[in-house]
Amino acid sequence: MGYVKRKYGTKKVGFSGTLDPFATGCLIVATGQYTKLFQYLNKTPKSYKATLWLGANSPSLDIEKIDSIKEVKYFDRQTIEETLASLLGELNYYPPKFCAKRINGKRAYELARAGEEVALKTITSTIYDIKLIHYNHPFVHFESKVSEGTYIRSLGALIADKLGVDGTLSSLHRIHEGQFYYNDEKALNPFTHLALPSNTYTGDESYMELGKKLGIEYFDIQKEGVYLVETSQFFSIIEIIDGEVKYRFNRIPKFEES
């Protein structure tokens, strides 16, 4: 983020979808008030390329903390393909102990690195697609398309478990997040990447721009939901609930660098 601040001369920078330290690939970065839009972006599914190192063991499930390496038998390609295919659909699993989830106010990886006990709850992810790219023993190169919040390190561990051997990821690359692909830091119009329906306010624009109370009768769509609403200079995100209009975000300039 320091690099982005210096390059673009901005003070407020945020990112969505944390990448592991050893990983590469697409990362969504926003400046200014656009950081408020992360929760509304169309960021799923996500796709990754990864390399699973069979026989290597690491408590962090990546190359950061490898503590042992064993020779393991060669698997035929069909066995690996069938193992990958068995993970399709919904998965219930434990996230890695070295992750950014909070436990009593502290990040799990902080506790794990300090040698403290890390007790994480199971999470559910959806594996939409997973395929073998190449098998060069002991390295399994695979690609997967998954729901937001999926831990590919855990997915690698599940593959190794099903094969009956130790295993850890030696590389990880995020191909895309929903509609977002890496394209030489090209700036994007956030309005075309929101997972929100648009609504039209037919009243006086100044009411919305000043944050005044809005009447539901001035909206084209009046059913409950969260909507993007544009004025000539700003956009707002509003929520219609119980017949009332509430602001989620208001007066975010349309033409600020994103």
Side-chain angles (χ1 to χ4, degrees):
M1 296 303 99
Y3 159 79
V4 175
K5 288 179 181 179
R6 292 189 298 273
K7 181 172 181 177
Y8 296 99
T10 184
K11 293 182 178 180
K12 186 176 182 181
V13 177
F15 64 92
S16 174
T18 305
L19 275 173
D20 293 327
F22 80 111
T24 62
C26 175
L27 182 69
I28 303 171
V29 177
T31 63
Q33 295 191 71
Y34 285 113
T35 55
K36 298 178 180 179
L37 294 179
F38 286 142
Q39 63 182 300
Y40 302 109
L41 294 176
N42 189 349
K43 300 183 295 180
T44 191
K46 301 183 181 186
S47 289
Y48 295 85
K49 286 183 179 179
T51 300
L52 176 63
W53 183 359
L54 301 180
N57 184 73
S58 168
S60 60
L61 305 183
D62 59 28
I63 58 174
E64 181 183 354
K65 289 186 174 293
I66 291 179
D67 56 18
S68 68
I69 301 173
K70 299 176 182 178
E71 288 190 15
V72 296
K73 67 176 183 179
Y74 182 91
F75 295 92
D76 62 82
R77 186 181 180 92
Q78 182 178 350
T79 297
I80 293 179
E81 288 179 337
E82 289 176 351
T83 299
L84 296 179
S86 71
L87 296 171
L88 285 169
E90 279 199 353
L91 281 182
N92 293 303
Y93 61 97
Y94 288 98
K97 292 183 178 180
F98 288 78
C99 71
K101 285 188 173 295
R102 290 189 179 275
I103 301 174
N104 297 324
K106 289 189 176 182
R107 299 288 189 185
Y109 65 78
E110 294 175 337
L111 297 173
R113 285 174 178 161
E116 298 183 31
E117 183 65 27
V118 178
L120 293 167
K121 297 180 180 178
T122 58
I123 61 174
T124 300
S125 297
T126 301
I127 312 303
Y128 300 108
D129 189 27
I130 184 167
K131 61 185 179 182
L132 179 64
I133 300 174
H134 184 59
Y135 175 39
N136 182 20
H137 188 75
F139 299 103
V140 176
H141 308 276
F142 67 95
E143 184 175 322
S144 58
K145 181 182 291 186
V146 299
S147 60
E148 189 170 1
T150 300
Y151 289 91
I152 306 301
R153 285 178 292 149
S154 292
L155 188 58
L158 289 171
I159 296 169
D161 285 345
K162 284 179 174 286
L163 291 172
V165 298
D166 290 337
T168 190
L169 290 194
S170 60
S171 72
L172 177 62
H173 178 81
R174 183 188 288 152
I175 302 169
H176 71 87
E177 289 190 75
Q179 298 179 355
F180 296 87
Y181 290 79
Y182 178 72
N183 188 12
D184 295 326
E185 300 179 21
K186 179 182 177 182
L188 300 173
N189 179 352
F191 301 106
T192 62
H193 292 77
L194 296 181
L196 285 177
S198 294
N199 205 338
T200 301
Y201 178 64
T202 60
D204 187 337
E205 281 192 355
S206 66
Y207 272 59
M208 177 169 288
E209 293 178 351
L210 293 173
K212 293 184 178 181
K213 186 174 182 178
L214 305 175
I216 192 173
E217 66 273 14
Y218 292 105
F219 287 88
D220 283 356
I221 303 174
Q222 299 178 9
K223 66 180 181 180
E224 292 192 351
V226 179
Y227 301 95
L228 172 71
V229 184
E230 296 185 48
T231 65
S232 57
Q233 297 295 322
F234 301 94
F235 72 79
S236 298
I237 295 177
I238 58 100
E239 182 177 15
I240 297 177
I241 184 170
D242 296 331
E244 294 187 357
V245 180
K246 298 182 179 180
Y247 292 101
R248 288 284 190 93
F249 298 115
N250 193 33
R251 282 184 59 84
I252 299 182
K254 293 173 65 174
F255 307 110
E256 183 179 326
E257 179 187 304
S258 60

